[in-house]
């Protein structure tokens, strides 16, 4: 890498590690714990890339993006943050940050992103975030796992489009919250957000009443696969003749909508109208590392609202992480609320967690739901989502090789991790020649050392 990187973070350890890593990679580095100093450097014309934390002692890194865009148009800013909520990702996207990474981040991954930012030649126009509307301090959509960060980025990308959105996921995962977040952060935020159920659409005048309520805002149709064929036909007609004030249509479904369409539970014409963009909300067992983060979030909320200051003991933490949570985030939220109110001391014990979970479904092996899904089905779902993001346009040419490369790199990285970096074992696991593996590691720029996580 060749260039100058400006690093702003109030954590001395992160500044030191990034300075050392970037310097070894050939960069010049200026590191500071002050946004004031960072902005002075930017104003002086220093730096080819900025890496900045969000919460700093003298301000908010996201709020500096419009000023950076004004002073240095096209200067890439990579935002890193321990605030692993959907709002942080959306605000970073709104301000058109070059990239966004949650803490703890993967150092090799950040280095690759920095290299791409340094190599970038095109001009990037960054628009200021819209702060004209009051927004909540936080949303109950919390997660630092890769699957949730990918979801946040997808939400940010479809937020201000007019594409219809299909949101799938198990009960209790937060599908309605995702829909509400898309509306609340979109250009339609000042217009109504209306949720329509089968009861609202059952009679002939139902669609007209719903459209009168939504008035060009956002219409969310709840559990579309559970609606009978007659109601689905009314929705098709409603979408085809929306009137003067065209709303944005969204729908939720616990079922995979493609399977529901193929089985006849969802009309084909309705399916194609709703799947402008598809968002899958993962089950809690698919993001185990977020369970404790969510539990702490709910405990903090109970402290703010009810004054009950509680924490999970070590054994309780282990039990909470091992439980499969078939009711997902909603079940976890209710369990933590009950524990916060009934615990006999500040530290919640394992026996108290067992008592709360005793009347609920027994723990199942984690990830059992995803294991039931065939790999080909999972890949097809992600590819379909990629095509959907392009709307009526086709993806750029060269898709075949691009997809193979996107799959090949993480496959090799995960296999290397699983084999402790032993290339001979990794090659045997993958069923390829060791020399072939070495060439792919070089060509794909894969780090062969163990990944290093930073808090």
């Amino acid at each position: 890498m060749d260039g100058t990187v400006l690093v702003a973070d109030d954590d001395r350890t992160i500044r030191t590690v990034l300075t050392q890593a970037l310097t070894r990679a050939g960069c010049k580095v200026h590191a500071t714990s002050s946004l004031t100093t960072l902005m002075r450097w930017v104003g002086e014309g220093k730096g080819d890339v900025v890496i900045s934390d969000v919460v700093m002692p003298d301000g908010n890194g996201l709020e500096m993006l419009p000023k950076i865009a004004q002073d240095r148009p096209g200067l890439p800013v990579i935002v890193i943050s321990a605030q692993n909520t959907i709002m942080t990702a959306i605000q970073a996207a709104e301000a058109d940050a070059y990239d966004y990474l949650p803490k703890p981040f993967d150092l090799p991954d950040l280095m690759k992103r920095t290299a791409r930012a340094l190599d970038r030649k095109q001009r990037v126009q960054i628009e200021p975030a819209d702060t004209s509307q009051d927004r909540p301090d936080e949303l109950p959509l919390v997660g630092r796992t890769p699957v949730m960060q990918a979801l946040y980025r997808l939400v940010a990308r479809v937020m201000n489009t007019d594409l219809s959105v299909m949101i799938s996921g198990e009960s209790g995962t937060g599908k309605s919250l995702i829909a509400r977040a898309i509306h609340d952060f979109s250009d339609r935020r000042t217009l109504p957000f209306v949720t329509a159920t089968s009861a609202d659409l059952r009679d002939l005048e139902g669609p007209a009443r719903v459209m009168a309520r939504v008035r060009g805002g956002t219409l969310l149709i709840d559990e579309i696969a559970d609606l009978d064929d007659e109601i689905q036909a009314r929705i098709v007609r409603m979408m085809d003749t929306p009137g003067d004030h065209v709303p944005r249509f969204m729908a939720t479904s616990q079922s995979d909508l493609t399977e529901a369409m193929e089985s006849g539970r969802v009309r084909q014409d309705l399916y194609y109208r709703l799947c402008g963009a598809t968002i899958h909300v993962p089950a809690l067992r698919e993001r185990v590392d977020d369970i404790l983060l969510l539990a702490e979030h709910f405990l903090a909320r109970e402290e703010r609202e009810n004054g009950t200051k509680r924490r999970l003991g070590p054994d309780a933490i282990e039990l909470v992480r091992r439980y499969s949570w078939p009711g997902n985030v909603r079940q976890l939220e209710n369990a933590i609320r009950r524990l916060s109110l009934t615990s006999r001391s500040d530290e919640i014990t394992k026996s108290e967690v067992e008592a709360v979970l005793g009347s609920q479904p027994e723990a199942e092996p984690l990830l059992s739901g995803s294991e039931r899904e065939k790999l080909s089905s999972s890949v097809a779902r992600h590819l379909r989502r990629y095509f959907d993001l392009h709307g009526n346009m086709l993806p750029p040419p060269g898709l075949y090789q691009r997809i193979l490369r996107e799959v090949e790199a993480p496959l090799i990285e995960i296999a290397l991790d699983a084999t402790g970096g032993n290339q001979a074992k990794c090659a045997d696991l993958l069923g390829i020649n060791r020399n072939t593996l070495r060439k792919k590691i070089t060509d794909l720029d894969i780090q062969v050392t163990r990944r290093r996580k930073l808090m």
Side-chain angles (χ1 to χ4, degrees), residues 296-356:
E296 291 173 345
H297 172 86
F298 294 134
L299 286 171
R301 189 178 66 184
E302 288 300 310
E303 182 179 354
R304 290 194 303 269
E305 295 180 356
N306 303 314
T308 54
K309 188 173 183 178
R310 300 284 188 268
R311 66 181 184 277
L312 290 167
D315 292 341
I317 289 174
E318 181 60 25
L319 179 56
V320 167
R321 280 178 54 84
R322 283 193 297 106
Y323 188 70
S324 63
W325 300 107
N328 292 297
V329 179
R330 186 181 296 130
Q331 183 190 10
L332 174 63
E333 179 183 16
N334 292 334
I336 293 298
R337 179 179 298 166
R338 182 174 169 185
L339 286 165
S340 178
L341 295 173
T342 60
S343 178
R344 293 185 293 273
S345 65
D346 290 346
E347 184 172 284
I348 299 171
T349 65
K350 178 181 179 181
S351 61
E352 288 173 328
V353 176
E354 289 174 336
V356 167

Side-chain angles (χ1 to χ4, degrees), residues 31 70 74 100 123 129 134 190 196-197 229 248 250 302 346 368 375 383 427 431 450:
Q70 178 181 337
Y100 161 75
R123 183 184 181 91
D134 292 333
T190 59
T197 64
D229 188 75
R248 182 176 198 171
M250 292 194 281
E302 288 300 310
D346 290 346
S368 60
L375 179 60
L383 289 174
R450 286 186 177 276

Side-chain angles (χ1 to χ4, degrees), residues 21-164:
L22 290 165
T23 301
R24 284 196 300 268
C27 296
K28 295 179 181 178
V29 182
H30 298 285
T32 179
S33 61
S34 166
L35 283 177
T36 302
T37 302
L38 172 66
M39 295 308 296
R40 176 169 58 81
W41 288 342
V42 171
E44 292 172 352
K46 294 180 179 178
D48 301 301
V49 172
V50 174
I51 301 175
S52 177
D53 195 2
V54 173
V55 179
M56 298 281 281
D58 57 346
N60 185 297
L62 289 175
E63 295 174 359
M64 297 296 106
L65 289 177
K67 176 64 174 172
I68 292 174
Q70 178 181 337
D71 293 349
R72 298 277 302 282
L75 178 64
V77 180
I78 299 175
V79 175
I80 55 177
S81 175
Q83 294 184 316
N84 301 301
T85 68
I86 191 172
M87 190 170 70
T88 308
I90 287 176
Q91 287 175 333
E94 281 186 327
D96 204 8
Y98 175 78
D99 215 333
Y100 161 75
L101 280 174
K103 293 181 180 178
F105 56 80
D106 180 34
L107 180 58
D109 184 31
L110 177 56
M111 295 293 287
K112 290 180 184 178
R113 293 169 191 255
T114 305
R116 286 197 293 267
L118 286 168
D119 291 340
R120 190 182 62 159
K121 301 299 182 185
Q122 68 269 29
R123 183 184 181 91
V124 177
Q125 181 181 356
I126 304 177
E127 300 177 355
D130 181 3
T131 56
S132 61
Q133 299 295 324
D134 292 333
R135 292 177 177 177
D137 291 334
E138 56 187 351
L139 292 170
L141 292 165
V142 180
R144 63 163 60 99
T145 52
V147 68
M148 285 302 291
Q149 293 300 318
L151 184 148
Y152 295 165
R153 292 189 180 96
L154 180 57
V155 167
R157 290 167 67 181
V158 305
M159 188 170 54
N160 283 320
T161 70
D162 291 325
L163 288 173
S164 58

Side-chain angles (χ1 to χ4, degrees), residues 357-373:
L357 297 180
S359 60
Q360 302 188 34
E362 294 182 0
E364 301 170 356
L366 290 174
L367 301 177
S368 60
S370 62
E371 288 172 356
R372 285 195 294 268
E373 183 180 24

